């Protein structure tokens, strides 16, 4: 069946009938009978002891405010749940992709559309995503049609951007259930080159990242796959006949991930077997960074119920999978968890990238502290977060300094996958954990803003300075709710944001470390790809600076091994630094 | 006319005494005979058998067998006693055989059924426990008592609608019974409905005092569930309460140590664990927790000692193997680390296999092959007792036609 053709016809019909992308009346599958009855868990029910509505009331100390309505962004990720078939497909949700689509230096926004499911036979139809151009000042406008992205890409979950053909602009890979799509960016117009690039496949792709894994100067594509799922044969689970619910992933066979090696001529070659990606697992995310700082991009894969994987980068295939040995595959007790969202950051200030992972309910979110020499320590308890995530299902996540003290805070977006039979409600509150000087985290969610006092079925997210004031904005994707745009209300007085352009096939400087001295300590931010859940943001390093600071010296450890210092950079500006243009340092 | 009568009467007095004495003797003989008959009657044999079941199961079995041969009309009761006796004599197959002949379960008292369930559980006779539970659930009398005992034990094997119905029934009957609320809490927890479980445990705690046994167990179970859910500050007062009531209880000390460790109070956590391990050096959860604490405190050698101790006590402990591998790798012992990691994964995978087989069991209850597979897995896990039990169950399933299935 030609999904694109069917979906296009559905869309056309919808348009003719005057329908919008927004669902007219989707039944809310939330059982309010399941509740946490103790005071600690009550934040899910009654965050401030007042009302539990999702009103956007801004409190004076809030870090974020919801400016979605003013932003011009109107997008809802459609899951297909209105068909009431309780499929696992509709639980995964989507992410967001912040990338510079038009090369003007500002990050634009691509939102995947998800899809709909036929109530009678379960067939799946993708909905088109939307591309929004960033005009600054938190104002966006829909440029989907002129950019050529208005055709449905399939049931899409997310997108990642990279200049895979090294022609100077960022291309887009939209990963989907069924056929994923690669769009080549030609001066702001995106052309579907999936077939010619050799990426024709039929799978369930839930995440992806571009990174030069082979070190040949061309970005390769790692695609995470989930489970074998046939929507036409799908039956709901659930213990009671009159109370069907979504089946757990363990009911389905896992799939092996794929590595497409960039040939440098606009095509890719599937070298998954050569690379050693033969073991199937239920993947939901992949992160690319130089975790052991050896000059090779490493890949860390979050699996749902299976042990997480860590492929150490190196000059030869097969890649060495060393997650268990490194201590990042399982929890502190040696058990695999239901992992979803990912990020890395220097949590404890030792200059090494630590990993955070969000997990399923009754599991702690994992903080793997980097001990050096390829070893990690499960440090969730030591950082005061034991138990903090057990009542929730964690998805999108990130390590960013959200309060201007240069310590990366940890946000965790929650939302259940089960409508009625989970331990906690379908809609859940999200969290911000403030980093207390690299030693512990403390929950400051309720003062982070109204979004964090509300309950959502949150999924992917992206964080970046979108209005050029040094404060980090957050875009959040939720199931069947409008994309949320959270503007930072308390940007630092002085700041500096760094983007990188490395040599060769690493245009965004992936794997580099960006460091500077501020507030009497050295702050390091790793440049990474594949953050959060099903999401992408062009790598940037944002630093807060002392209020009276006039300039900053920024040190870069490039993936190539070159170390450079860029001196005297003007504060409160965004800088793009190119490899080889700074002063070499030992 | 009257004097002779009178005389006659007076002349008859010794004779009358004699007569009375004779009657007394006859009565005494009759009473004694009846007594002896009653004492030696088959009905009495069953009572007698029940009385001596624990102290002399062989004699109890003989009495019950005699009662069966005498055809007293209490056959089911007799076979139940024989079944219990065979269990006590560690003859599980014979116990199953006796069980198979209990044709009228409602002839037996609820208390006897409950005793059988407890004894079958103690003997790790899963199949018999399960079958007895199924039967007793269908009995009509003493429902609150039956459900309180049976529901937590049966929660895993009944279908969801069945459990829900029975939980609803017990909720209606529970009233102020802390035992019944605790049973609901345990059942809901087993079925994975933690919110409902919390609510029931809270009822049990409300209805009981910490000086009572049920008060202590309810508080412990509520605290443990709260810890699982990460609700540490709600769990702490409950643990403190039970610890106050039972000052030297290792279980409560361990739980408090868990809370202290989770909230970053490493000093007091270690102190509590030291106390526990002084009393019970082989307490595995305490050893593991103290080892973990030592890792957090960067005392790797001490941690290694604790994990090694765990592995001496339980060589197939996947978590201890995993933690050992982490320590050895940090100490630069790659080959030792790899060995422990491999063993940890092997055991973890076997545990997953147990879950997988259990899932298959739910749909194929009568397949002895599945039970054999389970026995193999337990062999591989070094748990020979469990393995034998599964093999026995498989064998019994092959041989028996059992009521209640």
């Amino acid at each position: 069946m030609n999904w694109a053709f069917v979906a296009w016809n559905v869309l056309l019909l919808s348009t003719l009938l005057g329908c919008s992308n927004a669902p007219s009346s989707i039944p809310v599958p939330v059982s309010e009978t399941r509740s946490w009855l103790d005071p600690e868990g009550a934040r899910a029910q009654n965050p401030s002891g007042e009302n539990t509505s999702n009103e956007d009331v801004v409190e004076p100390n809030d870090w974020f405010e919801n400016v979605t309505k003013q932003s011009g962004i109107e997008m809802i990720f459609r899951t297909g749940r209105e068909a009431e078939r309780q499929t696992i497909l509709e639980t995964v949700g989507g992410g967001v992709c912040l990338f510079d689509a038009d090369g003007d230096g500002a990050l634009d926004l691509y939102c995947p559309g998800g899809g709909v499911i036929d109530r009678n036979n379960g067939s799946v139809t993708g909905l088109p995503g939307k591309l929004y151009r960033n005009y600054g000042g938190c104002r966006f406008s829909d440029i989907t049609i002129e950019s050529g992205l208005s055709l449905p890409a399939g049931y899409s979950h997310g997108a990642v951007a990279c200049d895979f053909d090294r022609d100077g602009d960022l291309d887009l890979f939209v990963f989907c259930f069924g056929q994923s799509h690669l769009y080549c960016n030609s001066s702001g117009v995106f052309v579907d080159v999936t077939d010619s690039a050799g990426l024709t496949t039929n799978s369930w792709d839930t995440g992806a990242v571009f990174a030069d894994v082979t070190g040949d100067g061309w970005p390769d594509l790692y695609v995470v796959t989930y489970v074998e799922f046939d929507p036409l044969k799908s039956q709901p689970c659930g213990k009671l006949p009159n109370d069907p619910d979504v089946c757990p992933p363990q009911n389905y066979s896992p799939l092996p991930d794929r590595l497409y090696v960039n040939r440098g001529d606009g095509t890719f070659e599937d070298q998954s077997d050569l690379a050693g990606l033969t073991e199937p697992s239920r993947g939901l995310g992949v992160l690319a960074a130089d975790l052991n700082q050896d000059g090779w991009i490493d890949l860390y894969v979050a699996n749902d119920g299976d042990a997480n994987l860590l492929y150490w980068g190196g000059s030869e295939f097969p890649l060495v999978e060393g997650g268990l040995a490194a201590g990042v595959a399982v929890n502190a007790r040696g058990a695999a968890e239901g992992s979803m969202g990912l990020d890395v950051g220097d949590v404890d200030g030792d200059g090494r990238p630590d990993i955070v992972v969000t997990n399923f309910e009754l599991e702690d979110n994992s903080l793997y502290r980097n001990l050096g020499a390829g070893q990690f320590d499960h440090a969730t308890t030591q950082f005061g977060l034991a138990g903090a995530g057990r009542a929730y299902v964690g998805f999108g996540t990130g390590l960013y300094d959200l309060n201007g003290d240069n310590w990366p805070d940890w946000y965790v977006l929650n939302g259940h996958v089960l409508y009625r039979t989970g331990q906690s409600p379908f809609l859940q509150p999200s969290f911000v954990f403030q980093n207390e000087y690299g030693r512990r985290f403390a929950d400051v969610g309720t003062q982070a803003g109204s979004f964090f006092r509300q309950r959502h079925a949150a999924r992917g997210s992206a964080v970046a300075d979108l209005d050029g004031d040094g404060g980090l904005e957050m875009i959040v994707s939720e199931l069947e709710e409008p994309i949320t745009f959270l503007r930072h209300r308390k940007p630092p007085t002085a700041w500096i944001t760094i983007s990188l352009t490395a040599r060769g096939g690493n245009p965004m400087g992936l794997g580099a470390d960006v460091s500077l001295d501020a507030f009497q300590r050295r702050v390091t931010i790793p440049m990474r790809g594949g953050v959060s859940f099903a999401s992408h943001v062009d790598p940037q390093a944002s630093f807060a600076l002392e209020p009276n600071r006039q300039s900053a010296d920024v040190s870069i450890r490039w993936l190539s091994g070159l170390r450079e210092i860029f001196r005297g950079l003007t504060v409160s500006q965004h800088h793009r630094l190119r490899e080889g243009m700074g002063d070499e340092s030992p | 006319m009257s004097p002779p009568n009178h005389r006659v009467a007076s002349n008859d007095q010794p004779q009358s005494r004699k007569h009375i004495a004779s009657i007394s003797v006859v009565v005494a003989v009759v009473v004694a005979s009846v007594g002896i008959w009653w004492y030696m009657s088959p009905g009495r044999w069953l009572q007698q058998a029940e009385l001596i079941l624990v102290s002399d199961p062989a004699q109890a079995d003989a009495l019950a067998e005699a009662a069966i041969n005498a055809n007293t009309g209490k056959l089911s009761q007799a076979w139940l006693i024989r079944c219990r006796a065979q269990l006590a004599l560690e003859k599980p197959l014979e116990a199953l055989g006796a069980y198979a002949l209990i044709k009228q379960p409602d002839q037996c008292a609820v208390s006897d059924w409950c005793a059988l369930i407890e004894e079958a559980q103690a003997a790790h006779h899963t199949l018999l426990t399960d079958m007895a539970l199924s039967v007793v659930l269908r009995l009509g009398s003493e429902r609150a008592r039956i459900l309180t005992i049976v529901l937590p034990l049966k929660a895993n094997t009944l279908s969801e609608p069945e459990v829900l119905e029975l939980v609803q029934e017990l909720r209606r009957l529970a009233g102020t019974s802390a035992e019944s609320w605790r049973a609901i809490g345990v059942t809901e927890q087993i079925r994975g409905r933690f919110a409902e479980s919390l609510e029931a445990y809270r009822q049990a705690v409300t209805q009981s005092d910490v000086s009572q046994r049920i008060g202590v167990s309810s508080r412990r179970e509520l605290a443990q569930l709260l810890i699982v859910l990460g609700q540490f500050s709600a769990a702490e007062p409950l643990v403190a309460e039970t610890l106050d009531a039972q000052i030297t209880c290792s279980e409560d000390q361990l739980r408090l140590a868990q809370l202290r460790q989770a909230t970053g109070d490493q000093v007091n956590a270690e102190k509590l664990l030291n106390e526990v391990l002084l009393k019970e050096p082989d307490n595995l959860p305490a050893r593991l927790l103290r080892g973990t604490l030592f890792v957090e405190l960067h005392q790797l050698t001490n941690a290694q000692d604790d994990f090694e101790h765990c592995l001496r006590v339980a060589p197939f402990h996947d978590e201890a193997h995993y933690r050992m591998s982490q320590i050895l790798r940090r100490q630069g012992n790659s080959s030792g680390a790899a060995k422990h990691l491999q063993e940890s994964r092997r055991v973890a995978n076997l545990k997953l296999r147990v879950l997988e087989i259990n899932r298959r069991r739910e749909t194929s209850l009568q397949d002895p092959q599945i039970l054999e597979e389970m026995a193999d897995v337990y062999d591989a896990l070094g748990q020979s007792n469990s393995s034998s039990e599964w093999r026995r169950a498989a064998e019994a399933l092959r041989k028996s036609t059992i009521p209640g299935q």
Side-chain angles (χ1 to χ4, degrees), chain A residues 520-533:
Chain A
Q520 298 177 320
R521 78 176 190 97
R522 169 140 285 217
V523 187
T524 302
I525 296 177
M527 302 300 253
R528 69 278 194 191
V531 295
S532 190
F533 173 77

Side-chain angles (χ1 to χ4, degrees), chain A residues 245-542:
Chain A
D245 211 329
V246 173
C247 298
Q250 284 73 22
N251 283 24
Y252 305 94
S253 301
L255 293 168
D257 295 344
R258 298 190 307 277
L259 178 66
Y260 294 103
V261 172
N262 192 334
R263 291 194 182 106
D265 60 357
T267 68
F268 290 84
E269 182 183 351
D270 185 345
Q271 291 196 2
S272 311
D273 290 346
L274 272 178
L277 313 184
T278 49
E279 195 64 30
S281 57
R282 299 167 182 91
L284 282 176
V286 57
L287 187 138
D290 185 4
L291 294 170
N292 56 356
Q293 298 172 315
D294 68 346
W296 288 94
I297 288 286
D298 310 305
L299 298 162
Y300 181 67
V301 181
N303 286 324
D304 191 1
D306 304 310
N308 294 341
L309 303 168
L310 171 57
Y311 292 105
W312 291 117
S315 57
E316 288 178 0
F317 276 178
L319 297 169
V320 176
E321 199 289 301
L324 277 166
V328 294
V330 290
N331 66 15
R333 296 186 311 280
E337 298 183 305
S339 299
M340 265 73 87
L342 298 164
D343 198 9
V344 295
D346 181 13
V347 163
D348 53 0
D350 65 357
R352 292 189 284 255
D354 310 297
I355 303 173
V356 291
V357 184
T358 53
N359 290 317
F360 196 62
E361 69 183 358
L362 305 183
E363 297 170 345
D364 283 333
N365 294 314
S366 295
L367 163 59
Y368 296 104
R369 189 173 46 178
N370 193 333
L371 304 173
Q375 284 299 297
F376 291 79
D377 176 26
H378 192 280
T380 303
T381 302
Q382 287 149 272
F383 275 76
L385 291 179
R390 287 184 208 168
Y392 310 100
V393 179
F395 274 93
T397 192
L399 288 167
Y400 296 90
D401 173 22
L402 300 176
N403 62 343
D405 64 358
N406 268 338
W407 287 100
D409 308 301
W410 184 5
Y411 76 87
V412 175
L413 304 174
N414 297 309
H416 218 302
V417 292
L418 300 173
Y419 295 135
R420 286 170 288 271
T421 54
Q423 295 301 340
S424 43
F426 184 70
L427 302 179
Q428 304 187 339
S430 294
F431 288 84
V432 174
F433 300 113
Q434 181 178 302
N435 189 329
E436 295 183 337
Y437 310 106
R439 288 194 290 270
R440 285 182 80 77
F441 282 102
D443 175 15
V444 292
T446 51
Q447 72 188 64
S450 60
F451 179 84
F452 294 91
R453 294 189 289 267
Q454 301 162 350
R455 296 189 293 157
H456 300 274
R459 291 297 186 262
S461 58
V463 172
D465 178 11
L466 296 174
D467 55 0
D469 65 356
L472 296 175
E473 277 66 51
M474 187 183 293
I475 312 270
V476 181
S477 172
E478 298 135 58
L479 303 186
E480 302 288 359
E481 285 186 273
I483 291 279
T484 301
F485 188 148
L486 302 174
R487 189 183 70 87
H488 205 290
R489 297 180 66 241
K490 297 176 182 296
T493 311
W495 52 275
I496 193 164
T497 301
I498 306 294
S499 296
L500 301 180
T501 301
R503 292 175 181 142
N506 185 13
M508 291 191 278
L510 215 63
D513 290 330
V514 183
S515 307
L516 63 68
D517 295 317
F519 299 104
Q520 298 177 320
R521 78 176 190 97
R522 169 140 285 217
V523 187
T524 302
I525 296 177
M527 302 300 253
R528 69 278 194 191
V531 295
S532 190
F533 173 77
S535 297
H536 166 95
V537 52
D538 289 353
Q540 290 185 345
S542 295

